[in-house]
């Protein structure tokens, strides 16, 4: 663990081949779990400042496939037990650090998504709040960067898991889920897939309108922004759904703001 002392130095980048080999060897699921936890914690720290550490020589991306297929993917697979859950959480945190450090191109993020989307969707159901939060954020980036290339089947399969997180026990996870759903709606802007998904979109409108009446005002504001984004797809459908529920809400203020936004957007087009 001599790397730890020089976490902000370029030494890891200079010995990158050896470092990746150590990770690949020691982070296999059959290796000591405590060692894996410590190595993942170290890797997460290094990835947060990737250009000063693992990518100090500009070589890290040549190891991206190894990082995804041989290091992260095996440790994101579900196994019973608290230690296994802790390892999955650290693996998800590493992936978030990798995506968040901005060294990946849109093409590379798309490659990561193609390999890891099912495991990240599954991570939204972890007991760990950190795992759920990071998973929501990662899926949000996948939608934002490459979601317009998703077919309707992938969009239909993934959004229910994000929607469930609006009922999460953590306020941070609920907000992250809201932001991710806004990105989901953006995937469908000018996308032929929306024609096949009107029922899914209507269902999402209905569920989001429930959360528009949430007791948490911060979440209400976040959901309002999600529905504003989503209103572009089928505004008339959303107006009908709002009219169905507005009298049941404790206050009509958010519904009225949303109706005003839809009307203003319609007038702007005209």
């Amino acid at each position: 663990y001599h790397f730890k002392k020089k976490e902000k130095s370029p030494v890891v980048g200079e010995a990158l081949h050896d470092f990746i080999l150590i990770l690949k060897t020691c982070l296999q699921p059959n290796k000591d779990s405590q060692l894996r936890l410590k190595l993942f914690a170290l890797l997460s720290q290094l990835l947060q400042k990737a250009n000063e550490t693992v990518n100090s020589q500009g070589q890290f991306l040549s190891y991206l496939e190894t990082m995804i297929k041989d290091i992260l993917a095996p440790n994101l697979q579900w196994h019973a037990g608290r230690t296994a859950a802790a390892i999955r959480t650290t693996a998800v945190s590493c992936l978030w650090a990798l995506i968040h450090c901005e060294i990946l191109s849109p093409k590379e993020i798309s490659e990561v998504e193609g390999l890891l989307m099912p495991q990240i969707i599954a991570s939204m159901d972890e007991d760990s709040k950190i795992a759920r939060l990071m998973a929501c954020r990662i899926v949000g980036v996948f939608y934002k960067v490459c979601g317009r290339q998703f077919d309707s089947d992938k969009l239909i399969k993934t959004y229910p898991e994000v929607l469930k997180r609006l009922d999460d026990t953590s306020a941070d996870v609920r907000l992250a889920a809201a932001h991710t759903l806004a990105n989901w709606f953006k995937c469908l802007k000018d996308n032929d897939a929306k024609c096949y998904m009107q029922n899914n979109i209507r269902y999402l409108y209905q569920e989001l309108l429930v959360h528009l009446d949430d007791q948490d005002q911060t979440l209400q504001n976040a959901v309002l922004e999600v529905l504003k984004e989503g209103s572009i797809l089928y505004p008339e459908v959303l107006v009908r759904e709002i009219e169905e529920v507005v009298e049941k809400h404790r206050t009509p203020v958010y519904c009225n703001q949303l109706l005003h936004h839809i009307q203003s957007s319609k007038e702007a087009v005209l």
Side-chain angles (χ1 to χ4, degrees):
Y1 295 103
H2 62 282
F3 293 115
K4 204 165 189 177
K5 296 175 183 177
K6 295 192 173 184
E7 165 186 334
K8 296 182 181 178
S9 79
V11 67
V12 180
E14 292 168 6
L16 189 60
H17 179 79
D18 293 333
F19 183 57
I20 295 293
L21 187 60
I22 290 169
L23 293 179
K24 185 177 174 180
T25 303
C26 297
L27 288 174
Q28 293 310 302
N30 61 345
K31 297 295 183 182
D32 179 75
S33 55
Q34 292 305 315
L35 173 63
R36 287 157 66 204
L37 279 172
K38 288 176 183 176
L39 275 175
F40 267 130
L42 170 60
L43 180 59
S44 185
Q45 288 179 349
L46 293 171
L47 287 170
Q48 287 171 30
K49 294 186 179 292
N51 283 327
E52 298 172 28
T53 58
V54 291
N55 200 41
S56 65
Q57 305 301 304
Q59 299 297 311
F60 179 73
L61 294 179
S62 63
Y63 294 95
L64 181 61
E65 187 174 355
T66 297
M67 178 66 62
I68 299 304
K69 287 186 175 180
D70 299 331
I71 295 172
L72 292 177
N75 288 285
L76 287 168
Q77 295 299 324
W78 192 88
H79 297 281
R82 289 185 182 180
T83 304
I87 288 169
R88 289 195 301 275
T89 297
T90 56
V92 172
S93 297
C94 279
L95 181 60
W96 170 245
L98 176 59
I99 288 172
H100 193 56
C101 73
E102 299 184 342
I103 63 171
L104 302 185
S105 67
K107 182 175 180 291
E108 287 154 348
I109 288 177
S110 183
E111 289 170 4
V112 173
E113 180 278 321
L115 292 166
L116 293 182
M117 179 67 114
Q119 290 98 316
I120 298 306
I121 290 291
S123 295
M124 288 189 183
D125 228 9
E126 290 281 358
D127 289 339
S128 163
K129 169 200 160 180
I130 296 296
R132 300 195 307 274
L133 178 61
M134 297 300 158
C136 279
R137 288 176 176 174
I138 291 166
V139 173
V141 173
F142 287 161
Y143 285 152
K144 183 177 181 180
V145 174
C146 45
R148 293 202 176 198
Q149 282 75 57
F150 291 175
D151 59 23
S152 56
D153 188 50
K154 181 177 281 192
L155 290 167
I156 289 168
K157 279 183 177 176
T158 54
Y159 85 82
E161 294 304 316
V162 185
L163 181 61
K164 275 166 58 178
R165 298 279 61 85
L166 288 181
D167 288 314
D168 202 274
T169 53
S170 161
D172 291 339
V173 174
R174 291 197 297 273
L175 287 177
H179 295 318
T180 296
L181 287 170
N183 285 342
W184 186 88
F185 277 130
K186 288 175 185 175
C187 296
L188 288 164
K189 204 183 290 184
D190 305 318
N191 188 327
D192 292 340
K194 86 166 192 175
C195 300
Y196 307 103
M197 297 175 59
Q198 186 170 349
N199 287 338
N200 300 96
I201 293 166
R202 179 189 286 111
Y203 172 72
L204 198 42
Y205 287 162
Q206 291 168 347
E207 293 299 305
L208 286 165
L209 284 169
V210 172
H211 292 283
L212 195 62
D213 196 37
D214 196 273
Q215 293 183 349
D216 181 343
Q217 192 172 358
T218 305
L219 182 64
Q220 284 181 292
N221 284 314
V223 170
L224 177 62
E225 294 307 310
V226 178
L227 282 164
K228 283 180 180 178
E229 189 64 52
S231 69
I232 298 165
L233 301 177
Y234 289 105
E236 298 86 359
V237 173
L238 180 53
V239 167
R240 288 197 296 272
E241 295 298 336
I242 296 168
E243 290 170 347
E244 284 283 320
V245 301
V246 62
E247 291 185 5
K248 300 173 188 173
H249 280 206
R250 282 166 298 171
T251 169
V253 63
Y254 288 98
C255 286
N256 289 339
Q257 284 184 44
L258 188 53
L259 287 169
H260 177 72
H261 171 82
I262 295 168
Q263 185 61 34
S264 299
S265 299
K266 185 178 177 182
E267 289 169 359
V269 172
L270 298 173

